[in-house]
């Protein structure tokens, strides 16, 4: 189960969520893994008829997602490393993510992607 570490509301209507998915892998050493997510607020976007049609039946959801990782972190350094990863991400990406047109750009990108095929195996 992922623990919510932090939420950051953006001026363009998105809200960044930082989810902790870290785990211990050997002794007192951890893999710090933080997932950054932002759900696309479709209700607030001015969608065209073609975009609405393309969104019908999509199960994958439309969101921005990135993974921040660091291996070999000692247990005593977990909190500091998590805070540093979040701080570094915000310093490098916040200006881009806060652009007024970012939600529309993300929507266009997601609609241009081909959906991943789902394989069902029957024994």
């Amino acid at each position: 189960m992922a623990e919510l570490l932090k939420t950051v509301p953006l001026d363009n209507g998105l809200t960044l969520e930082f989810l902790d998915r870290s785990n211990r892998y050997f002794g007192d050493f951890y893999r710090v893994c933080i997932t950054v997510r932002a759900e696309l607020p479709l209700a607030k976007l001015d969608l065209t008829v073609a975009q609405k049609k393309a969104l019908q039946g999509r199960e994958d959801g439309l969101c921005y997602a990135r993974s921040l990782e660091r291996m070999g972190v000692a247990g005593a350094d977990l909190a500091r490393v998590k805070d540093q990863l979040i701080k570094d991400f915000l310093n490098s990406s916040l200006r881009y993510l806060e652009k007024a047109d970012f939600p529309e750009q993300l929507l266009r990108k997601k609609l241009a992607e081909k959906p991943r095929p789902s394989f069902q195996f029957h024994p």
Side-chain angles (χ1 to χ4, degrees):
M1 187 73 181
E3 174 190 351
L4 181 64
L5 294 175
K6 183 175 187 161
T7 59
V8 178
L10 305 179
D11 294 335
N12 58 14
L14 295 178
T15 300
L16 294 177
E17 294 179 337
F18 293 86
L19 303 167
D20 185 11
R21 298 182 188 277
S22 303
N23 64 307
R24 184 179 67 83
Y25 69 90
F26 179 77
D28 191 35
F29 291 99
Y30 293 80
R31 176 185 70 106
V32 174
C33 181
I34 299 173
T35 301
V36 183
R37 291 182 43 101
E39 290 290 329
L40 196 59
L42 295 177
K44 295 180 182 179
L45 297 176
D46 193 21
L47 300 174
T48 66
V49 174
Q51 288 172 329
K52 288 179 185 176
K53 186 175 179 181
L55 289 173
Q56 288 179 344
R58 284 189 67 139
E59 298 173 2
D60 58 348
L62 295 174
C63 70
Y64 169 85
R66 292 292 177 265
S67 181
L68 314 174
E69 292 191 33
R70 178 88 38 94
M71 291 293 292
V73 178
D77 296 331
L78 279 173
R80 182 187 59 77
V81 170
K82 290 176 187 179
D83 289 342
Q84 190 63 48
L85 282 173
I86 293 171
K87 181 182 173 187
D88 291 346
F89 176 81
L90 291 173
N91 284 338
S92 66
S93 302
L94 196 58
R95 281 188 26 203
Y96 172 71
L97 296 172
E98 278 190 321
K99 287 183 179 180
D101 64 341
F102 179 76
E104 288 82 12
Q105 289 177 351
L106 181 60
L107 175 65
R108 282 194 304 274
K109 179 185 174 201
K110 290 292 185 178
L111 289 175
E113 290 176 353
K114 293 184 179 183
R116 289 183 155 178
S118 64
F119 298 102
Q120 296 180 358
F121 297 100
H122 299 284

